[in-house]
Amino acid sequence: MLKRYKGLLCFGLIIGLLLSDATAYAAPIIPIPSINIGVEAANNPKDVALSLQILFMLTVLTLAPSILIMMTSFTRIIVVLSFLRSALATQQMPPNQVLIGLSLFLTFFTMSPYITQVNNNAMQPYLAGSITQETAMTEAMKPMREFMFKQTRENDLALFVNLSEMPRPNSQDDIPSTTLIPAFVISELKTAFQIGFLIYIPFIVIDMVVASTLMSMGMMMLPPVMISLPFKILLFILVDGWHLVIRSLVASFN
């Protein structure tokens, strides 16, 4: 028994020596840098102005998706394309990524004249230092307001003017953007739903014909959607559906 304990003790000493040598010859540990974010006192007014500009740019970048959705043609396009996919009953075909990507590129296409005006009248002069930041914001909003006024219905605009309890405006310049933007959004939703209703009509007819045919044949256990889906896709291909839908969408903004 004593010999067994001596053997275990020697084995433990050997393992300890090996571990100590491995530790001694191991590569040095690389220190992990620490990152500190703090607020320090500004040495001059320029530092304060630069900090405020950075904060403003971060705020604009955060609100950029909302600005893109609410002040451009994106809302109408994505709603109509979603209606089209639902009418076809193709589940997730095309996928959401494809619909959103197509909607973004169509938005850039339809908004390109207004984006050009914003770049020429606001962005480039501001980068050149010829106008102030406030002037650049005012000049950038002029083309966007022009687009929104063209697409907004008078009754929707009157609704938000009455809800805000503001004095009766004499011209479009008297209407603030906070009143114009929600009126523009609900007008876009109404237009998109109207287009979606027209898209649904031919596909509903196909569903009704297929359902009545299956019932007359006694095939009540067979889902009509399974039979009508190929006919919907065939009809959509024969009439060149994507061409018609996209042409109608782009033409609706003119």
Side-chain angles (χ1 to χ4, degrees), residues 158-236:
L159 170 65
F160 284 94
V161 169
N162 294 330
L163 291 176
S164 62
E165 298 181 354
M166 59 178 294
R168 184 179 179 85
N170 297 322
S171 63
Q172 294 181 351
D173 296 334
D174 297 334
I175 300 176
S177 298
T178 54
T179 303
L180 174 61
I181 293 175
F184 166 75
V185 172
I186 64 173
S187 294
E188 288 291 283
L189 290 175
K190 182 177 180 179
T191 304
F193 273 66
Q194 290 174 344
I195 299 174
F197 172 75
L198 297 177
I199 290 174
Y200 256 97
I201 291 177
F203 299 113
I204 289 177
V205 172
I206 294 177
D207 286 333
M208 294 176 63
V209 171
V210 171
S212 60
T213 304
L214 291 177
M215 289 184 65
S216 63
M217 296 174 64
M219 299 180 180
M220 299 181 181
M221 300 302 295
L222 185 63
V225 177
M226 184 181 301
I227 306 300
S228 63
L229 178 58
F231 291 100
K232 289 180 180 180
I233 297 176
L234 179 62
L235 174 65
F236 193 69

Side-chain angles (χ1 to χ4, degrees), residues 134-181:
E134 292 77 9
T135 305
M137 291 295 296
T138 303
E139 293 296 326
M141 282 300 299
K142 287 181 179 179
M144 304 306 298
R145 285 172 58 88
E146 179 185 354
F147 169 77
M148 288 189 287
F149 274 118
K150 286 182 178 179
Q151 307 301 326
T152 305
R153 293 178 174 83
E154 293 183 2
N155 56 345
D156 294 330
L157 190 59
L159 170 65
F160 284 94
V161 169
N162 294 330
L163 291 176
S164 62
E165 298 181 354
M166 59 178 294
R168 184 179 179 85
N170 297 322
S171 63
Q172 294 181 351
D173 296 334
D174 297 334
I175 300 176
S177 298
T178 54
T179 303
L180 174 61
I181 293 175

Side-chain angles (χ1 to χ4, degrees), residues 80-96 99:
V80 170
L81 294 182
S82 299
F83 271 122
L84 175 61
R85 185 174 66 179
S86 300
L88 285 170
T90 53
Q91 303 299 328
Q92 294 298 322
M93 287 297 157
N96 291 330
L99 289 185

Side-chain angles (χ1 to χ4, degrees), residues 25-188:
Y25 290 101
I29 299 175
I30 300 176
I32 300 176
S34 60
I35 301 175
N36 296 324
I37 300 177
V39 179
E40 298 179 356
N43 297 324
N44 51 59
K46 292 184 179 180
D47 295 339
V48 179
L50 180 61
S51 300
L52 292 177
Q53 290 179 0
I54 294 175
L55 181 61
F56 175 76
M57 291 301 298
L58 291 176
T59 304
V60 171
L61 291 176
T62 304
L63 298 177
S66 300
I67 296 173
L68 175 64
I69 291 174
M70 297 301 172
M71 297 178 60
T72 62
S73 58
F74 181 84
T75 302
R76 183 188 305 184
I77 295 172
I78 190 63
V79 171
V80 170
L81 294 182
S82 299
F83 271 122
L84 175 61
R85 185 174 66 179
S86 300
L88 285 170
T90 53
Q91 303 299 328
Q92 294 298 322
M93 287 297 157
N96 291 330
Q97 294 84 349
V98 175
L99 289 185
I100 294 174
L102 178 60
S103 301
L104 285 174
F105 280 106
L106 288 176
T107 301
F108 295 147
F109 178 79
T110 55
M111 297 297 297
S112 58
Y114 305 95
I115 295 175
T116 302
Q117 294 182 32
V118 171
N119 182 59
N120 295 336
N121 300 334
M123 181 62 68
Q124 295 303 324
Y126 176 70
L127 294 177
S130 58
I131 60 175
T132 62
Q133 183 175 343
E134 292 77 9
T135 305
M137 291 295 296
T138 303
E139 293 296 326
M141 282 300 299
K142 287 181 179 179
M144 304 306 298
R145 285 172 58 88
E146 179 185 354
F147 169 77
M148 288 189 287
F149 274 118
K150 286 182 178 179
Q151 307 301 326
T152 305
R153 293 178 174 83
E154 293 183 2
N155 56 345
D156 294 330
L157 190 59
L159 170 65
F160 284 94
V161 169
N162 294 330
L163 291 176
S164 62
E165 298 181 354
M166 59 178 294
R168 184 179 179 85
N170 297 322
S171 63
Q172 294 181 351
D173 296 334
D174 297 334
I175 300 176
S177 298
T178 54
T179 303
L180 174 61
I181 293 175
F184 166 75
V185 172
I186 64 173
S187 294
E188 288 291 283

